[in-house]
Amino acid sequence: MIAVWIILAVVVVLVIYVIALYNGLVQKRNRVDNSWAQIEVQLKRRRDLIPNLIETVKGYAAHERGTFEAVTQARAAAAGAQGPAQTAAAEGILSQALGRLFAVAEAYPELKANTNFLELQTQLAETEDKIAISRQVYNDTVLTFNNGIQVFPAVLLAGAFGFTRREFFEVEDAGDREVPTVSFQPTATAAPPAGDAPAPPTT
């Protein structure tokens, strides 16, 4: 009789442990989903600022159609991306296109002094900072979740409960990109330094 009670106690403890393990994994997964939702909010805000930015730059550089089209297409691709990996790739392309747009703006002092342009630039910078913070939080929660389903004994049960590894959100840092140089002046041939003039041909 005592053995039966011991077995029942062990079973109860195991059931309680499995329930606690399952609930813990659910909480970790929900934190990942919530963190991703925060990233999506900031990415949407970023994309919402872009049309006004394009229109402002158009007022000074209407001939830069290729740059505007590249930004517009990259924005559409980013809006349609699904999942962290695809979104990260699309947002990276969009960031590069925006870099070229700002490179164009560098050639127009009046545009750089435009109040609307400066405000949009500030809002974009603030949004980029929020995206970076949200990305860090998301990646931290993903790391915690992935560790949670890969350690023993959770690894024995996670698959059966439908818990699978989640993707990190890894976007190439803007500082690692080379922004193309935009020039509207023909390249002048540099004159040779004084004292280095070529010698006259020998006869």
Side-chain angles (χ1 to χ4, degrees), residues 46-59 75 101 114 116-117 120 123-124:
R46 182 197 196 202
R47 292 192 295 265
D48 288 346
L49 292 170
I50 291 174
N52 287 337
L53 180 64
I54 292 176
E55 288 303 316
T56 301
V57 177
K58 273 185 180 179
R75 176 180 179 271
L101 182 65
N114 180 278
N116 190 42
F117 178 78
L120 289 169
Q123 291 184 37
L124 271 175

Side-chain angles (χ1 to χ4, degrees), residues 6-97:
I6 292 175
I7 293 174
L8 287 175
V10 171
V11 170
V12 169
V13 170
L14 287 175
V15 169
I16 292 175
Y17 175 78
V18 170
I19 292 174
L21 176 63
Y22 176 82
N23 288 341
L25 292 179
V26 168
Q27 291 173 355
K28 290 182 175 68
R29 183 176 63 187
N30 288 345
R31 282 195 285 270
V32 171
D33 292 339
N34 180 66
S35 298
W36 178 248
Q38 298 305 313
I39 289 178
E40 289 185 317
V41 168
Q42 299 304 328
L43 291 178
K44 183 179 184 302
R45 172 173 171 75
R46 182 197 196 202
R47 292 192 295 265
D48 288 346
L49 292 170
I50 291 174
N52 287 337
L53 180 64
I54 292 176
E55 288 303 316
T56 301
V57 177
K58 273 185 180 179
Y60 295 83
H63 59 283
E64 293 289 339
R65 294 180 181 176
T67 301
F68 302 141
E69 290 175 359
V71 175
T72 300
Q73 292 172 2
R75 176 180 179 271
Q82 300 292 326
Q86 191 180 113
T87 299
E91 290 294 333
I93 294 172
L94 177 57
S95 293
Q96 292 178 17

Side-chain angles (χ1 to χ4, degrees), residues 81-196:
Q82 300 292 326
Q86 191 180 113
T87 299
E91 290 294 333
I93 294 172
L94 177 57
S95 293
Q96 292 178 17
L98 282 174
R100 290 191 291 271
L101 182 65
F102 280 111
V104 168
E106 286 295 318
Y108 299 89
E110 297 87 356
L111 171 59
K112 291 168 59 179
N114 180 278
T115 303
N116 190 42
F117 178 78
L118 291 174
E119 177 62 24
L120 289 169
Q121 194 174 32
T122 299
Q123 291 184 37
L124 271 175
E126 292 174 350
T127 303
E128 292 287 354
D129 290 341
K130 292 178 181 178
I131 291 173
I133 294 171
S134 298
R135 182 180 65 180
Q136 182 63 53
V137 172
Y138 170 79
N139 285 338
D140 288 344
T141 59
V142 167
L143 178 62
T144 300
F145 174 77
N146 287 346
N147 287 340
I149 67 174
Q150 292 172 348
V151 298
F152 184 86
V155 67
L156 302 176
L157 302 173
F161 288 145
F163 295 100
T164 57
R165 185 177 179 278
R166 303 296 287 268
E167 296 176 327
F168 289 97
F169 184 52
E170 299 175 328
V171 179
E172 180 185 3
D173 290 336
D176 295 336
R177 297 190 199 97
E178 181 180 351
V179 178
T181 302
V182 178
S183 174
F184 297 93
Q185 299 295 332
T187 303
T189 303
D196 292 338

